[in-house]
Amino acid sequence: TTGQKLMKYHHIGIAVFSIEETAWFYIMQGYSKSETVYDPIQNVNICFLSSRNGDSSEQPKIELIEPVDKQSPVHKILQKNGVSPYHICYEVKDISDTTAELKKQKFIPLSKPIEAVAMNNKKVCFLFNKNIGLIELVENENIRF
Ligand code: NI
């Protein structure tokens, strides 16, 4: 499958201290904000910011992730780097197939695929590669490239 496109950009994830204190900046630029949803797996609140006029090529989708307490993994990122982008998420047709493919490219899965409340219960997982950084996969069997 070398050269075949397996993944499609979905969002960039930004660790924030407070969704409230950050979202206004993007709303001012023409983004619409989704409802904020609590994700019990990561112990974070999450919202999505999407282009209000639907032009995602000019305003790529953004996720804001706010830790609920110090146990949240995002808390550590904020302590170290402050507010910062820390993952890019890609849609894939089959999360197991893509994970197997990425393992050949030296990505290390950080968890088994799990259903994420904030992603409409779609399966997600995080993988790390030291030259790429942290990525997230979200399964969408209806994906079109
Ligand atoms: Ni994400």
Side-chain angles (χ1 to χ4, degrees):
T1 60
T2 308
Q4 187 187 326
K5 197 174 178 191
L6 289 172
M7 317 204 303
K8 185 179 185 178
Y9 174 90
H10 189 270
H11 66 260
I12 186 159
I14 304 178
V16 300
F17 295 109
S18 155
I19 285 176
E20 188 80 16
E21 296 289 337
T22 299
W24 65 269
F25 175 78
Y26 296 95
I27 292 165
M28 197 176 72
Q29 295 183 68
Y31 275 93
S32 311
K33 182 188 164 300
S34 73
E35 300 251 309
T36 298
V37 178
Y38 174 63
D39 175 358
I41 296 157
Q42 298 181 78
N43 210 23
V44 291
N45 292 318
I46 285 174
C47 81
F48 286 97
L49 295 156
S50 309
S51 174
R52 204 177 292 156
N53 66 14
D55 187 355
S56 59
S57 65
E58 266 189 42
Q59 294 181 305
K61 196 168 185 172
I62 292 170
E63 176 188 40
L64 301 182
I65 305 108
E66 166 195 275
V68 167
D69 60 30
K70 291 180 180 177
Q71 268 57 261
S72 164
V74 177
H75 175 73
K76 276 195 204 111
I77 294 165
L78 286 165
Q79 290 290 103
K80 202 178 163 201
N81 301 326
V83 172
S84 51
Y86 75 100
H87 72 266
I88 296 181
C89 178
Y90 299 91
E91 277 186 310
V92 300
K93 194 173 184 71
D94 184 303
I95 213 163
S96 304
D97 285 358
T98 308
T99 298
E101 201 60 41
L102 288 171
K103 278 162 93 173
K104 294 181 205 162
Q105 314 294 334
K106 299 189 174 162
F107 277 88
I108 300 156
L110 303 185
S111 64
K112 297 257 181 244
I114 37 175
E115 289 175 11
V117 178
M119 302 284 282
N120 302 318
N121 294 316
K122 287 178 180 170
K123 273 195 243 167
V124 305
C125 74
F126 284 89
L127 299 100
F128 182 78
N129 172 305
K130 70 178 168 76
N131 291 309
I132 310 295
L134 186 64
I135 67 166
E136 179 182 18
L137 302 180
V138 56
E139 191 168 83
N140 174 8
E141 58 193 19
N142 302 315
I143 188 170
R144 297 220 181 113
F145 291 108

